[in-house]
Amino acid sequence: MTRKHRRLYILVAALLVFGGAAALVLAALDENLDHFRSPSQLIAEPPPLDRGIRLGGLVEEGTVQRSEDGLSVVFRVTDLSESVAVAYTGILPDLFREGQGVVTTGNLQSDGTFAAREVLAKHDENYMPREVVDALKASGQWHDGEGGHSEGMTQ
Amino acid sequence: MIAELGHFALILALLTAVIQGSLPMLGAARGRADWMAVAQPAAILQVVLVALSFAALTYVYVVSDFTVINVVENSHSAKPMLYKVTGVWGNHEGSMLLWILILALFGSMVALFGGNLPPSLKARVLGVQAWIGIGFLLFTLLTSNPFLRVFPAPPDGRDLNPLLQDPGLAFHPPLLYAGYVGFSMAFSFAIAALIEGKLDAAWARWVRPWTLLAWAFLTAGIALGSWWAYYELGWGGWWFWDPVENVSFMPWLLGTALLHSAIVVEKRDALKVWTVLLAILTFSLSLMGTFIVRSGLLTSVHAFATDPERGFFILVLLLITIGGSLLLFALRAPVLKPGGLFSPISREGGMVINNLFLAAACATVFLGTLYPLFLEAVNGSKVSVGPPFFNATFVPLMVPLIFLMALGPLMPWKRADLAGVFSRLKLAGLGAVIAAGITLYLEQGGPILAVAAMGLVGWLFVASLVEWSDRIKLFRAPLGDSWRRARNLPRSAHGMTLAHAGMAVAAAGMIGASVWNLEEVRNLQPGESMEVAGYSYRLDGVEQLEGPNYLADRASLTVTRDGEEIAVLTPEKRLYPVQNMPTTEAGIHTTWVSDLYAVIGDSDGRGGWTVRIFHEPLVPWIWLGSLLMVLGGFVSLSDRRLRIGAPNRQAKAKAAPEPESGPGGHPAAAE
């Protein structure tokens, strides 16, 4: 076992392990990405139904409707120019409120509604998801200070 | 007044750090012993000043001094005392101060106990520590000063984020930071060795205990954070592959690799360049862990509020530290002499494989965490990388690692005989079959991959014990004899067994929790019940209570199995009026084989409540396994040969690899 042999062996082992890891990453990146869309984008360019989508925006005022048993909920997510109906079954996060920023993960359905498997509202009530801020800015509906984003927790 | 004193002490600490970072470094370069000697008192003065500053901040929190902005924003007079104190680091500014305090503490320990280090190495290590300190002190003083006043003072504070008012999270940041900062020791030693151009076994003897200490703290910190997320968020999950979790996990992965490669440097004087690189990368990832979420670069499920102005400072700091140290590495690494030779099938070879897999796993987590950032910079599209990505990349890399983890400790240094190793692992094979068999029986089939995974975990668990029991000749010699052998075994051998077995236990928990968990949501009227996994949950009622600074709806659920009462769960939904923020408190009963986990949602206004029940098999094992790993770390640390500050003086003289021949002709394993 000379130094050269050892180096060769380590090199081959490293190539195998890292090559394997790279292959796994490439395969997984293709299938497992959730793409962020605002309601306007979702309506303008509907993505394939099997594509994982993160839909972000504000919960439109007056649209939250709970089912009889209280388990399912339908609401509209808006970027203040377009809105999309979202259906979700389960317990909503503590901070879920009308007018509050949310990010929902799920798929677009063939009838144009959005089936969410996860609904996130941010933990800090002053905090607006960055993606939602960007979506609001894109739709021209963002006004500085609206979300109280940079005040509150920081100086 | 007190706040100004704290601020002033912090400025003095910065000045001290500048002296500590310059004079001893110059002294080491010019061979001036008197200049190098400055490092020691400077490091001690440094910790005293930072401690004063930290005490001042704690004081203004304890007395609720609402003339200080930081207290106003993160505290409230009605908050329980525990959370007034932990609120000190429950915010950005205070947590930076905590970081600096821990850094200064580590530095002072080198100053106090480093008497037997070569003077130039000691001076340089303390100098590098001071450089890190300068960066953080500047950052804190310029962008995150916790001592700023506000005028006029508001009558009361805005309270700490209620999610952080929890015993689990109270001690999560200090542990995590002790881990992050602990890796700064390995980093400082690595940089000092590069400047010095010399790296020997004595170096590794110093780096190992610090790495071990940092690793144990980081393990505990991550586990505590995960436990908190599990019971506090009410989502029934314990790990979400959220960026903020990933950034703490990456240094853990590389730190684990470093822990192992440092052993090779110490014992065999090999893998030196790689170990130095690992030390640099591990600390770089720790810095990222401290900063990246706060800088607002990544959105996270549980990020603090962010401030883009700090982001720039942070990026510059990261660039200088990481770029500078990697540049130094590129220039100076060839100076380090290559060390001992070994065959691919050997203890050293095993460590190389361990390092490769851990580094590759870390790389996949790194890619998954930063890919969205990268993609957005390139073409502006916003994506997020969720758990499925990590399950498809990280998990497959862990499978061979866990399989080989059983082999490594059984292999002797230099050259091993694979057939011999496997013949000693017959029992582990049996363990694998039994674990898979039990799983198959209990789950009536279950996904076949999960059954195989449980078998793999059984393999690792038994193999860890086999190595240990072989060394003490358990059941092969009289018990008294085994006891004597066990007592003579180095503590680090016990530590390794505990940590490896703990890994197996935790892995079993992770598999169980992700494969066989059940979740059911129902709307229940008081008196109604629902059935999950053979347990019946009856909603007895929901009462309203008032806590010290919150209001709560507390449900009472009686859990029965075959008519026999098992437990009463009391999940709560709390409202903290100061921040107008609701939180969830899960009701959990553990049987040690599974957790019965209940959360209540909203009332439907007609007497019914949304109840969400999780059945979480094996989740308690995750915490149990983590605890074993941490325990293993501390048991190893207590090894006489590794005692902090007391590296073997003889070994320091010359980097002589120790001859290895363990009891009973077995090559000594387990370091």
Side-chain angles (χ1 to χ4, degrees), chain A residues 1-3 6 9-10 13-15 17-18 20-22 24-26 28-29 32-37 54 66-71 88 90-95 97 117-127 129-131 134-135 149-155, chain B residues 73 93 143-145 148 158 163 233 235 270 296-297 299-302 305-306 310 338-344 349 353 356-357 359-360 364 367 371 376 382-386 388-389 392-393 396-397 521-523 573 579-584 601-602 606 610 612:
Chain A
M1 193 75 196
T2 64
R3 199 159 302 250
R6 188 186 73 181
Y9 146 73
I10 292 183
L15 275 179
V17 174
F18 278 89
L24 287 171
V25 165
L26 287 177
L29 269 186
N32 296 311
L33 286 185
D34 291 329
H35 296 256
F36 185 86
R37 292 284 184 275
R54 278 154 65 83
R66 288 170 199 272
S67 64
E68 276 291 295
D69 60 2
L71 296 183
Y88 174 70
I91 291 187
L92 289 164
D94 294 327
L95 281 179
R97 272 174 226 161
R117 57 172 190 274
E118 186 182 56
V119 174
L120 293 177
K122 291 293 156 167
H123 289 164
D124 180 335
E125 79 150 13
N126 295 316
Y127 180 74
R130 188 169 56 96
E131 295 148 329
D134 290 349
H149 163 65
S150 57
E151 48 183 52
M153 294 282 285
T154 56
Q155 340 173 349
Chain B
E73 284 177 349
E93 291 82 0
T143 75
S144 316
N145 186 351
L148 293 179
R158 291 191 214 155
L163 281 172
L233 296 182
W235 299 344
L297 282 174
T299 23
S300 153
V301 184
H302 40 304
T306 52
R310 284 179 190 143
L341 287 173
F342 54 86
S343 131
I353 295 291
L356 284 178
F357 274 105
T364 62
L367 277 172
Y371 184 73
E376 193 176 344
K382 292 191 174 73
V383 298
S384 77
V385 176
F389 169 84
T393 54
L397 285 171
V521 190
R522 262 316 155 70
N523 184 281
K573 200 168 173 76
Q579 296 206 340
N580 190 22
M581 176 156 170
T583 69
T584 298
D602 299 315
R606 284 164 305 187
T610 312
R612 190 178 199 174

Side-chain angles (χ1 to χ4, degrees), chain B residues 5 67 122 296 415 570 602 666:
Chain B
L5 272 181
T67 61
K122 183 176 164 188
R415 172 166 291 139
T570 53
D602 299 315
H666 286 311

Side-chain angles (χ1 to χ4, degrees), chain B residues 87-242:
Chain B
V88 173
W89 57 75
N91 62 85
H92 170 78
E93 291 82 0
S95 70
M96 283 294 112
L97 194 55
L98 177 70
W99 211 102
I100 294 168
L101 177 66
I102 298 175
L103 183 76
L105 268 175
F106 276 114
S108 70
M109 283 203 272
V110 176
L112 287 174
F113 304 115
N116 48 9
L117 275 175
S120 64
L121 182 64
K122 183 176 164 188
R124 285 181 166 129
V125 167
L126 285 173
V128 178
Q129 284 274 307
W131 293 351
I132 304 169
I134 291 171
F136 273 79
L137 283 161
L138 274 177
F139 177 71
T140 306
L141 285 167
L142 295 181
T143 75
S144 316
N145 186 351
F147 296 110
L148 293 179
R149 297 277 189 179
V150 59
F151 185 84
D156 213 326
R158 291 191 214 155
D159 212 353
L160 178 66
N161 184 339
L163 281 172
L164 307 184
Q165 297 188 30
D166 179 274
L169 209 63
F171 299 103
H172 164 68
L175 284 172
L176 203 61
Y177 279 13
Y180 284 163
V181 182
F183 287 127
S184 75
M185 297 300 289
F187 175 81
S188 297
F189 271 90
I191 297 294
L194 284 176
I195 298 174
E196 199 113 315
K198 203 177 93 191
L199 196 157
D200 54 21
W203 180 89
R205 270 175 200 278
W206 265 88
V207 168
R208 262 186 74 193
W210 293 110
T211 309
L212 197 55
L213 188 68
W215 179 87
F217 277 133
L218 190 59
T219 310
I222 294 174
L224 201 60
S226 164
W227 185 48
W228 169 82
Y230 173 69
Y231 69 71
E232 178 72 28
L233 296 182
W235 299 344
W238 51 276
W239 190 263
F240 302 98
W241 293 110
D242 182 81

